[in-house]
Amino acid sequence: MVHLPHLISDLGLILIVAGITMLIFKKIKQPLVLGYILAGLLVGPHISLFPTVADEEAVKVWSEIGVIILLFTLGLEFSFKKLAKVGGSVSIAAIVEIVIMIVVGFITGQLLSWSLMDSIFLGAILSMSSTTIIIRAFEEVGARTQKFATLVFGILIVEDLVAILLMVLLSTLAVSREFVGSELFIQILKLIFFFIVWFIGGIFFIPTFLKKTRKLMNDEMLLIISIAMCLLMVMFAVQVGFSAALGAFIMGSILAETVQAEKIEHLTKPVKNLFAAVFFVSVGMMLDPQILVDYAVPVLIITLITIFGKFIASAIGVLLGGQPLKHSIQAGLSLAQIGEFSFIIASLGVTLKVTSGFLYPIAVAASIVTTLTTPFLIKHSEVIYNMLEKKLPEKWVNRLNRYSVGAQQLSSASSDWKILLRAYGINTLIHTVILVAIVLLSSNFLYPLISEWTNGSGEIITVFVTLLFMFPFIWALAVRRIKRETYMRIWINKGVRRVQLVIVDFLRVAIAIFLVGFLFQIFFSPLVAFIVGVLTIATAVIIFSRNLQRLYERVEHRFLSNLNEREEQKAMRSVMAPWDMHMTDFDVVPETSCIGKSLEELSFREKYGINIAMIERGSHVIAPPSRNERLYPGDKISVIGTDEQLNKFKELFENAEPATEEDDAAKEIGLQTFTVTKHSLLNQQSLRNSGIREIAHALVVGIEKNGQRIPNPASNTIFEEGDIVWLVGNNHQLKTFLKGKKSNSLDKK
């Protein structure tokens, strides 16, 4: 008898139960995440009503893969450019909310007499909100386009990045089991260093690789290569001491900046759905109902703290960020839940074996309750604001509104000195990281290789080769003029700012000398390192400045073109639109009534005043499409029109409803037959002129004529008395056609 491995049978059990619960929760219009958690509870070790997963360790492996894929797809949606566009107001709001909830969670854990690590992890769990649940709730109540929703999305972007940072710090705490300030500081510096190195290296090489191989790649290859790059970055991250989730998130965020981002996101969506389901089922498997009974009071306390604490903390953060009271309250109520990253942080505590067994189930229980309350809170957020506004003293409301206006005006003002310092700071940070990375790569990989070739005397060759790579970035760090016009305005104004400019320039040169000295110090004495560092900078400035500038500009151009290519393509397509019109992309969803119809039949220009400029179908681009071109599910269409025209056109896709039971029945295709009689209107008519396609929406696939069978007859075939005609079409329409009124048009009695 063939033995079936437990891994396969367990996965089958998980997916079967998850599929059933998913259908139930879809029917009752509840979040699918809750259905997956319920499925995990049913197949887990704590309930014996159903078959139980036999190999929990194997499921944990699947779960870890689920976390990797989930973080990879979150990175694809994240994009560091989105973070850069978030703005100081939203960043302040997010950081204030996160800090308050970490402190509140920690204090709550201590008051409940929990351990130090349980309290710290509780604070981290409570600080994260759920992107999936909030988006779904916004769509339910129609709030996605409102001003406060934009604030919430910005806060969620910052939360994603902070969650990654928290995972690194919590891992460090779990290993040391104590607060070591220097260790945490080193971990933060290490995280920033690798973030910058991976991001810059990824943007420099990966988009170029994808462009060069685009013609060779089909969807299958792009999916495999994307997952391969994700796992490669996971291995890098683990190798340098970070979590696999961090590596997956970083690779996703790198690919999010490429022109293939949407396609990769589309291709990986089924993979994400599969492994995310396994992950959330594994969450449910760790949910012990008895623990929830034993810790009913803590569950209730933490649920209330999640709802009211996150509401208050988020509202305070948004207020401090300079937003009006109304938007602050609406944003606070929207963020009053815990979600996906909270589960990942909680599972991290379990994996590292530093949290108690009750923390995970309590976090899941609080998440379930707050998931159900979120749509209600968002829907009634304006009503709650009106109630609070009436209760608050009028002078408080006026002061808050004045503060909001003043803060927004302050954030919009910026001085030349502030602009210059920001540019210098970014330039120094990026090039310092690049130079340190070059030195470390040289000492750890290049030097051993050269030493092996030269029998142990490769110091001079290694230093020489390393300096060749370092020179362009040394020039950019120490010599390159940044924001030249701003610099000159400050210099012309004289005063104390001139001295400050000289100090800033001196610091740039000093850092460059230190980094060159750092290289020489690895292989030679400190004195030699200092002397050579000074000479190297002087040589670079005096002799090679112009050549280094050209070389660096080529490197910079390559990086910036890769980084901005996606936005430039969209901008070029928008510029094509004349006057006040612009171009917008729409996805053709399967539920829309446009499916299968030609552009001529749809008459978009006549109905909406818009033009279809391009249809993107997989890797095939139709630009411009002909009037006979049809629309199919999954197509992406580029539409040109004014804001008013595009908003009206958008309703065609937004109002598309999922198929009903009647629609599902209408999709059934069947084969029917009828006989042409002497008095039939079809008698002596050609197939082309019969009108069968227009009347019955059916195809004639065969005719039996005088005992001879004619499959797929030509359009000029003549129907004769006694012919047996075979039709393929919708069963419901065919039945109506053959025995209803429409049959009279074929068979005249």
Side-chain angles (χ1 to χ4, degrees):
M1 183 176 179
V2 178
H3 174 69
L4 186 67
H6 289 309
L7 179 65
I8 298 175
S9 59
D10 288 344
L11 184 61
L13 176 63
I14 286 172
L15 295 181
I16 289 170
V17 178
I20 295 171
T21 56
M22 182 178 65
L23 290 173
I24 295 171
F25 274 69
K26 185 77 172 177
K27 182 70 174 176
I28 63 178
K29 297 181 178 179
Q30 293 300 320
L32 299 183
V33 171
L34 299 183
Y36 292 141
I37 293 173
L38 176 61
L41 180 64
L42 295 176
V43 301
H46 306 294
I47 291 182
S48 56
L49 297 175
F50 296 87
T52 302
V53 168
D55 189 352
E56 292 183 37
E57 291 302 318
V59 174
K60 288 180 181 178
V61 174
W62 286 107
S63 173
E64 289 180 16
I65 298 174
V67 172
I68 290 171
I69 301 298
L70 192 61
L71 267 293
F72 176 62
T73 53
L74 281 173
L76 282 171
E77 299 168 5
F78 173 77
S79 171
F80 284 98
K81 282 190 177 177
K82 290 182 182 178
L83 181 64
K85 295 175 183 177
V86 158
S89 173
V90 173
S91 300
I92 291 171
I95 292 170
V96 168
E97 180 258 327
I98 291 169
V99 170
I100 290 176
M101 289 311 300
I102 289 176
V103 173
V104 169
F106 178 79
I107 293 173
T108 303
Q110 292 294 286
L111 292 175
L112 292 172
S113 300
W114 291 359
S115 69
L116 184 65
M117 294 304 296
D118 285 338
S119 301
I120 293 172
F121 270 82
L122 176 63
I125 289 168
L126 296 184
S127 66
M128 297 293 115
S129 299
S130 172
T131 304
T132 304
I133 293 167
I134 289 173
I135 290 175
R136 177 184 173 276
F138 279 164
E139 290 174 348
E140 279 186 9
V141 302
R144 191 162 186 171
T145 58
Q146 295 186 28
K147 171 66 175 175
F148 78 90
T150 305
L151 295 172
V152 170
F153 288 137
I155 291 171
L156 290 171
I157 290 171
V158 179
E159 280 190 356
D160 287 346
L161 188 61
V162 173
I164 295 295
L165 178 62
L166 281 176
M167 291 171 64
V168 174
L169 297 181
L170 291 173
S171 300
T172 305
L173 280 175
V175 173
S176 62
R177 299 296 182 102
E178 59 183 3
F179 286 103
V180 182
S182 59
E183 182 70 22
L184 290 178
F185 181 71
I186 290 171
Q187 283 296 318
I188 293 173
L189 289 180
K190 185 178 175 183
L191 177 63
I192 294 171
F193 174 79
F194 281 105
F195 244 110
I196 295 173
V197 169
W198 285 333
F199 184 73
I200 292 176
I203 294 297
F204 190 81
F205 291 107
I206 291 175
T208 302
F209 167 74
L210 292 177
K211 280 190 292 185
K212 297 289 186 184
T213 58
R214 186 169 185 174
K215 292 182 180 179
L216 302 175
M217 280 197 197
N218 55 23
D219 289 353
E220 179 184 1
M221 292 174 64
L222 183 59
L223 172 63
I224 291 171
I225 288 174
S226 300
I227 299 295
M229 287 191 288
C230 168
L231 296 178
L232 182 64
M233 185 60 78
V234 164
M235 290 188 286
F236 283 159
V238 172
Q239 189 69 30
V240 297
F242 294 124
S243 66
L246 173 64
F249 182 83
I250 290 175
M251 180 51 69
S253 64
I254 291 171
L255 291 175
E257 307 297 347
T258 67
V259 293
Q260 300 277 51
E262 289 92 349
K263 193 169 185 180
I264 294 171
E265 189 175 349
H266 173 72
L267 292 174
T268 55
K269 188 175 182 180
V271 182
K272 179 197 80 169
N273 291 340
L274 172 63
F275 285 106
V278 175
F279 168 70
F280 287 116
V281 168
S282 71
V283 170
M285 288 174 59
M286 288 187 278
L287 190 61
D288 188 350
Q290 186 59 45
I291 289 180
L292 297 182
V293 173
D294 296 339
Y295 289 86
V297 174
V299 168
L300 178 61
I301 292 172
I302 291 169
T303 301
L304 293 175
I305 287 175
T306 301
I307 296 173
F308 292 102
K310 286 184 74 67
F311 160 54
I312 295 170
S314 302
I316 290 173
V318 176
L319 272 175
L320 291 176
Q323 298 299 323
L325 179 63
K326 181 179 180 179
H327 293 159
S328 302
I329 290 174
Q330 289 177 311
L333 291 169
S334 303
L335 293 162
Q337 79 290 125
I338 55 178
E340 300 84 2
F341 263 118
S342 299
F343 292 148
I344 295 171
I345 291 172
S347 65
L348 179 66
V350 174
T351 304
L352 297 173
K353 298 179 180 179
V354 294
T355 56
S356 303
F358 59 78
L359 181 61
Y360 200 107
I362 288 175
V364 173
S367 174
I368 292 172
V369 176
T370 54
T371 296
L372 299 174
T373 58
T374 296
F376 173 83
L377 293 175
I378 295 175
K379 185 176 182 180
H380 295 88
S381 60
E382 190 165 354
V383 176
I384 295 171
Y385 160 71
N386 292 330
M387 290 173 54
L388 287 174
E389 188 182 30
K390 292 177 182 178
K391 297 289 185 183
L392 290 173
E394 186 176 351
K395 61 179 181 180
W396 287 19
V397 176
N398 292 334
R399 285 180 180 176
L400 289 172
N401 289 333
R402 283 198 300 271
Y403 169 77
S404 171
V405 173
Q408 291 181 26
Q409 291 175 347
L410 183 64
S411 64
S412 62
S414 58
S415 65
D416 285 342
W417 183 247
K418 187 174 166 183
I419 292 171
L420 190 68
L421 282 182
R422 183 175 181 272
Y424 271 45
I426 293 173
N427 179 75
T428 302
L429 175 64
I430 290 175
H431 292 100
T432 299
V433 168
I434 292 173
L435 289 167
V436 171
I438 292 173
V439 172
L440 293 177
L441 286 172
S442 174
S443 60
N444 289 299
F445 298 99
L446 181 62
Y447 176 64
L449 187 63
I450 292 177
S451 295
E452 185 177 345
W453 290 346
T454 58
N455 296 321
S457 58
E459 290 88 351
I460 296 176
I461 299 175
T462 302
V463 170
F464 178 75
V465 173
T466 306
L467 282 175
L468 289 179
F469 283 98
M470 292 177 67
F471 266 138
F473 304 105
I474 291 171
W475 174 86
L477 173 61
V479 183
R480 180 193 184 199
R481 282 284 172 221
I482 305 166
K483 298 286 183 183
R484 187 182 297 273
E485 293 180 2
T486 306
Y487 186 97
M488 292 308 299
R489 280 199 302 268
I490 298 173
W491 185 265
I492 290 170
N493 288 333
K494 300 182 180 180
V496 71
R497 294 297 188 199
R498 277 194 177 183
V499 178
Q500 293 171 339
L501 284 176
V502 172
I503 293 173
V504 169
D505 285 334
F506 173 77
L507 287 174
R508 293 171 62 194
V509 175
I511 293 172
I513 292 173
F514 172 80
L515 291 171
V516 174
F518 174 55
L519 169 66
F520 277 86
Q521 190 272 334
I522 293 175
F523 301 100
F524 307 106
S525 67
L527 179 60
V528 172
F530 175 76
I531 295 172
V532 174
V534 174
L535 293 175
T536 301
I537 300 297
T539 304
V541 173
I542 297 171
I543 302 177
F544 302 112
S545 183
R546 184 168 296 179
N547 293 329
L548 290 174
Q549 180 177 353
R550 286 198 294 266
L551 178 59
Y552 179 82
E553 285 175 351
R554 286 201 297 269
V555 173
E556 185 182 48
H557 175 74
R558 165 88 165 272
F559 176 81
L560 292 178
S561 63
N562 285 347
L563 182 64
N564 298 321
E565 185 178 14
R566 186 178 174 190
E567 280 71 21
E568 286 174 356
Q569 283 192 359
K570 291 182 179 179
M572 286 176 62
R573 286 159 54 187
S574 298
V575 169
M576 291 162 50
W579 303 296
D580 62 339
M581 295 190 292
H582 60 280
M583 186 179 293
T584 303
D585 293 336
F586 292 93
D587 292 320
V588 180
V589 295
E591 294 83 5
T592 183
S593 59
C594 304
I595 296 298
K597 296 181 181 179
S598 68
L599 297 182
E600 184 178 23
E601 293 173 312
L602 294 169
S603 304
F604 286 149
R605 182 185 295 184
E606 291 76 11
K607 293 178 182 178
Y608 302 99
I610 56 89
N611 283 301
I612 306 295
M614 183 178 72
I615 299 175
E616 187 176 348
R617 185 171 297 146
S619 58
H620 183 49
V621 175
I622 306 168
S626 68
R627 64 182 181 178
N628 297 320
E629 191 63 50
R630 298 181 182 273
L631 296 183
Y632 298 101
D635 285 354
K636 177 178 286 187
I637 57 176
S638 298
V639 182
I640 296 177
T642 63
D643 284 338
E644 183 179 353
Q645 291 167 339
L646 292 171
N647 285 332
K648 185 178 178 182
F649 180 73
K650 183 171 64 174
E651 296 175 0
L652 180 67
F653 296 91
E654 289 186 342
N655 295 333
E657 297 181 356
T660 61
E661 293 180 6
E662 291 79 8
D663 296 327
D664 291 333
K667 295 176 185 175
E668 297 179 4
I669 301 298
L671 183 67
Q672 300 287 345
T673 171
F674 73 92
T675 302
V676 179
T677 65
K678 180 179 180 180
H679 301 290
S680 172
L681 290 177
L682 287 181
N683 194 12
Q684 301 305 313
Q685 288 285 332
S686 68
L687 177 57
R688 179 186 292 111
N689 298 325
S690 66
I692 289 177
R693 180 188 290 270
E694 294 76 19
I695 297 170
H697 302 288
L699 296 175
V700 176
V701 296
I703 298 177
E704 190 172 334
K705 188 186 289 289
N706 299 323
Q708 181 182 2
R709 295 179 177 177
I710 307 173
N712 297 319
S715 59
N716 59 357
T717 302
I718 304 297
F719 290 109
E720 298 176 348
E721 181 184 355
D723 287 353
I724 300 174
V725 182
W726 296 85
L727 299 174
V728 169
N730 173 267
N731 281 331
H732 178 71
Q733 291 178 337
L734 284 176
K735 288 178 182 177
T736 303
F737 170 72
L738 292 175
K739 66 181 183 181
K741 293 181 179 180
K742 290 185 179 179
S743 65
N744 293 331
S745 65
L746 292 175
D747 209 356
K748 187 166 59 179
K749 301 296 182 186

